[in-house]
Amino acid sequence: MKTKALDQIKRYPGFFPMAVLCLFLLYTPLVIVMIYSFNDSPSITLWGGFSLRWYEDVFFGLEAAKLRKAAWNSVSIAAMAAICATTIATAAAVGMVRSGAWRGKTASFALLNLPIMVPEIVTAVATLIFFSMIGFKAGYATILIAHVVFCIPFAYLPIAARLEGIDSNYEQAALDLYATRWQAFKRVLLPLLAPGIISGFLLAFIISLDDFIITNFVKGAGVETLPTAIYGAIRQGIKPNIMAISTLMLLVSILFVTVSYFVGRNGEKKHEG
Amino acid sequence: MSGLVEKSSFGGLRKPLLLPAWLTIGFFLVIPVLTMLVYSFLTKEFRGGVLWEFSLAAYDQFFFDRGLFGDEPPKIEWTYINIFWRSIVQAAVATLICLVIGFPTAYFIATRSPQTRNIWLFLITVPYWVNLLIRTVSMKFLIRDTGPLNHWLMQAGIIDSPIHMINTNFAVQLGLFYSYLPFMVLPIYASVERYNFSLSEASADLYAGRWTTLRRIVLPSVKPGIIAGCILVFVPSLGAFLAPDLLGGAKTFMIGTLIEEQFKGAAGNWPFGAAASMLLLSLVMVVLLFYASSQSKQALHH
């Protein structure tokens, strides 16, 4: 009886339609692009029947080689940046969460999260200016370095959050039993921390794959990632093959989120159990 | 006592553990930002780059108009101030739209059963992981004059001629809203989830209506989440590049597009771009400091 009354109090008329509207607004543009990527007609407005021709165009068409190169750059940079950022962030998380209280901890936290706080366009400008001043030639390496930097906080946050939730008695017990710090970390903390590290890695990977602004500034002439290649292509108008690439990238993103979601959930379950 | 000891099992290794992160961010972000500050006080070199001569020209160009030949008495130059002001307004409007749609959504999700909640949260976060460029292009595709939206509206007989949406302020606001909506929903959701609903019950027992309860009890309790959400939408909107670039036109220039033009576009004025970036960064830091101080005040109250 009482719970029913509380239910009534909690509920607001109009909030459910708002939530549905929210999902509708979020998904409509994506679904539309997905649908039109299968449009047979080269006109991007009229529907000319179902076809896979634009996918064929992406993989075997005139720009296929260029796109493949861009995709390879995107994926290889994302993988390397995510590995570096995750390694650095894991060490930093242990250093922050398992080091008690010390002076400058707040400052250290602020520094770790600085790449999130500075607007992307400012990071882009600053990085471009810095590399140009020290005479570092813009290209693949500059993109990679910039990506490592802004991926660090994205990897750090889930790892630190996970670490906060792990009872330190585990590694303390290992240390009491004469494990070295490295053994205590590798054998005890690391397995417990794994879901956080995987989430952090996936997050960093997607963030790197997603980046346009910073990459656009620090890439040299001739080096393209998928977003910069797509941006270059749509300068001349949105063509159906762009919609096919978009759909493919959309599917990759959804796959990643789903994996990361289930890894996170399983991790939680195991930890509880 | 035990609390301090148990949490510092790697205390002795603090420095070596944190050093890689400090050095990476320090060397490739803090030093570059300082370099940018220096560049904003240098003389511009035509076709990009700088001459190492001290100059206030970049800031002077931003704030003052000295006529075509630079010899007239300085007047206030409104062009760039207006662009900054427009960015602030656009970001504020986008934040407001996000709040109006995001709050009910977050509240609704937080009052579901745990399983349903997870599904909703998942659905809300998925679009965030889709490439921002692709999302913005999708929006552009949808709202073009000859795009599907206008096509349907005309077929349905709701309108006779296409609504012109692209290259308007509205399109940019829509793009910003679309880019950052999940940032509004998630922190508000976290606040509402922690909110103790027996307070609402008590309020109802004291004959407060539903909406009075929302306004007087729920909203003040979840205010930290709302503020966090607004900051998370406002700050990236302020320096956004893709939404004003792809969905807007010359009349909807924002800070991000102004800065980009100095480096990648035709303008090619690095010191001016650095100065505009410094001003944007200062603006963002003011917002963040304001937020931090409001947070610590809140902490004192509790």
Side-chain angles (χ1 to χ4, degrees):
Chain A
M1 187 62 206
K2 198 179 172 198
T3 49
K4 202 178 172 194
L6 181 59
D7 246 25
Q8 280 299 313
I9 294 161
K10 273 170 139 179
R11 191 158 294 160
Y12 286 89
F15 278 23
F16 173 64
M18 272 309 213
V20 173
L21 175 72
C22 188
L23 284 191
F24 179 76
L25 289 172
L26 285 174
Y27 284 92
T28 309
L30 301 178
V31 172
I32 296 289
V33 162
M34 250 186 202
I35 294 172
Y36 273 84
S37 71
F38 295 107
N39 186 4
D40 190 45
S41 156
S43 141
I44 55 169
T45 315
L46 299 170
W47 182 254
F50 178 89
S51 139
L52 288 173
R53 61 185 282 200
W54 303 115
Y55 289 89
E56 207 182 299
D57 187 67
V58 167
F59 286 105
F60 308 107
L62 285 172
E63 288 165 26
K66 219 173 85 187
L67 286 173
R68 216 172 300 146
K69 182 92 183 82
W72 170 247
N73 284 341
S74 269
V75 171
S76 60
I77 287 173
M80 282 191 280
I83 290 171
C84 294
T86 311
T87 312
I88 294 171
T90 306
V94 175
M96 284 294 283
V97 180
R98 289 295 203 259
S99 59
W102 41 280
R103 252 184 51 194
K105 196 167 183 172
T106 319
S108 170
F109 184 75
L111 184 65
L112 289 172
N113 288 294
L114 197 64
I116 294 186
M117 291 190 285
V118 176
E120 249 190 298
I121 188 104
V122 175
T123 307
V125 167
T127 314
L128 168 69
I129 285 178
F130 176 69
F131 282 136
S132 125
M133 186 189 70
I134 61 174
F136 202 113
K137 198 176 171 312
Y140 192 91
T142 49
I143 302 177
L144 181 61
I145 292 171
H147 280 220
V148 171
V149 175
F150 71 70
C151 283
I152 289 175
F154 287 99
Y156 173 82
L157 292 172
I159 297 172
R162 174 86 191 166
L163 191 54
E164 304 258 14
I166 298 172
D167 195 329
S168 62
N169 282 336
Y170 291 118
E171 78 255 17
Q172 210 63 58
L175 292 172
D176 286 347
L177 294 167
Y178 300 102
T180 62
R181 285 230 160 76
W182 172 244
Q183 283 170 328
F185 173 75
K186 204 179 99 180
R187 298 283 190 80
V188 180
L189 211 46
L190 196 60
L192 288 169
L193 200 52
I197 294 177
I198 295 172
S199 299
F201 173 83
L202 293 175
L203 199 55
F205 188 88
I206 283 279
I207 289 287
S208 162
L209 213 54
D210 188 59
D211 179 72
F212 167 73
I213 298 173
I214 295 172
T215 312
N216 189 35
F217 268 72
V218 302
K219 82 185 174 73
V223 183
E224 301 280 356
T225 62
L226 266 183
T228 62
I230 293 175
Y231 183 82
I234 56 166
R235 299 258 84 171
Q236 292 114 39
I238 307 173
K239 287 194 209 107
N241 60 349
I242 294 298
M243 283 188 263
I245 306 175
S246 300
T247 306
L248 292 170
M249 286 178 77
L250 220 137
L251 294 177
V252 170
S253 305
I254 292 172
L255 186 76
F256 259 82
V257 200
T258 314
V259 169
S260 137
Y261 175 75
F262 282 110
V263 167
R265 234 178 41 166
N266 283 343
E268 259 165 48
K269 267 191 203 143
K270 247 182 238 161
H271 196 55
E272 279 161 17
Chain B
M1 177 65 207
S2 75
L4 259 181
V5 175
E6 72 177 355
K7 291 243 163 168
S8 60
S9 34
F10 289 89
L13 292 172
R14 188 179 84 210
K15 276 190 186 137
L17 284 170
L18 281 163
L19 215 55
W22 287 346
L23 286 180
T24 312
I25 296 174
F27 195 73
F28 292 111
L29 185 60
V30 177
I31 293 179
V33 168
L34 296 176
T35 314
M36 183 178 82
L37 177 65
V38 172
Y39 265 49
S40 73
F41 289 105
L42 295 177
T43 308
K44 85 164 176 182
E45 162 93 273
F46 289 95
R47 314 171 125 258
V50 286
L51 297 172
W52 282 86
E53 272 168 46
F54 176 82
S55 155
L56 284 171
Y59 292 94
D60 191 81
Q61 182 189 345
F62 192 95
F63 290 109
F64 298 110
D65 174 12
R66 293 177 192 274
L68 197 56
F69 302 104
D71 52 359
E72 288 169 31
K75 285 180 293 187
I76 300 280
E77 164 70 75
W78 288 105
T79 316
Y80 306 114
I81 298 173
N82 279 341
I83 288 175
F84 264 62
W85 178 242
R86 184 189 300 132
S87 304
I88 294 172
V89 172
Q90 296 281 63
V93 172
T95 309
L96 196 68
I97 308 175
C98 283
L99 182 61
V100 167
I101 293 179
F103 179 82
T105 307
Y107 184 96
F108 174 80
I109 297 173
T111 51
R112 296 302 97 191
S113 73
Q115 291 96 328
T116 330
R117 240 184 257 179
N118 276 336
I119 297 171
W120 274 92
L121 282 179
F122 181 69
L123 288 175
I124 293 283
T125 37
V126 165
Y128 172 67
W129 297 116
V130 175
N131 198 298
L132 181 60
L133 175 65
I134 288 176
R135 277 186 291 156
T136 314
V137 172
S138 308
M139 186 56 91
K140 182 174 179 147
F141 176 70
L142 180 66
I143 66 171
R144 279 171 319 137
D145 289 355
T146 52
L149 186 61
N150 272 315
H151 189 69
W152 294 329
L153 287 177
M154 272 158 69
Q155 279 206 326
I158 300 171
I159 51 169
D160 295 326
S161 56
I163 309 173
H164 182 68
M165 284 178 281
I166 208 85
N167 296 355
T168 62
N169 281 331
F170 170 73
V172 177
Q173 288 152 8
L174 191 68
L176 293 174
F177 155 80
Y178 188 46
S179 308
Y180 305 117
L181 179 62
F183 287 171
M184 182 63 88
V185 176
L186 296 177
I188 297 182
Y189 161 80
S191 280
V192 178
E193 201 203 9
R194 278 197 302 267
Y195 170 70
N196 183 356
F197 277 98
S198 50
L199 291 173
S200 287
E201 214 175 354
S203 164
D205 286 346
L206 294 167
Y207 300 104
R210 202 178 256 159
W211 298 101
T212 314
T213 304
L214 181 70
R215 195 160 45 90
R216 305 280 290 270
I217 312 292
V218 180
L219 282 182
S221 311
V222 302
K223 208 170 111 196
I226 294 178
I227 295 177
C230 288
I231 299 273
L232 285 176
V233 174
F234 185 77
V235 166
S237 297
L238 207 53
F241 169 71
L242 285 173
D245 183 61
L246 291 174
L247 300 169
K251 283 188 190 159
T252 56
F253 235 54
M254 281 175 62
I255 306 175
T257 31
L258 175 70
I259 293 173
E260 201 255 6
E261 200 187 37
Q262 308 308 319
F263 294 93
K264 308 293 288 184
N269 188 340
W270 283 34
F272 183 71
S277 303
M278 273 325 290
L279 292 169
L280 169 63
L281 185 61
S282 318
L283 201 60
V284 167
M285 287 304 148
V286 168
V287 175
L288 291 179
L289 282 178
F290 174 75
Y291 173 62
S293 78
S294 82
Q295 286 290 87
S296 57
K297 248 186 231 152
Q298 207 120 42
L300 279 179
H301 276 299
H302 285 292

